[in-house]
Amino acid sequence: MAPQGCYVAWADIRNTGYSSSEMQAVLLDKARVAVVPGLNQWFGVGAEGYIRISFATSSEILDNALNRIHSTLVNI
């Protein structure tokens, strides 16, 4: 049976000075968190400037990942 949906959030990163692809690379490298960049070819016009974060996991794992993202962004 195919899943009928997923849990994702679109995070606005337009004020960071990073493109969606750059932010994806920074978070993967520094925070060890995988996100999906808002690329036009995947999500259409207007997706640039956002990253997609899946939160279909336990609250413990999500809290840990969000804390790592926060720590990374505060220090760049």
Side-chain angles (χ1 to χ4, degrees), residues 6-12 35-36 50-56 62 66:
C6 61
Y7 300 100
V8 297
W10 281 96
D12 184 346
V35 300
V36 177
Y50 295 85
I51 56 172
R52 187 175 130 165
I53 303 170
S54 172
F55 56 97
L62 183 60
L66 292 174

Side-chain angles (χ1 to χ4, degrees), residues 38-48:
L39 299 178
N40 184 43
Q41 66 262 35
W42 294 343
F43 303 110
V45 177
E48 178 56 55

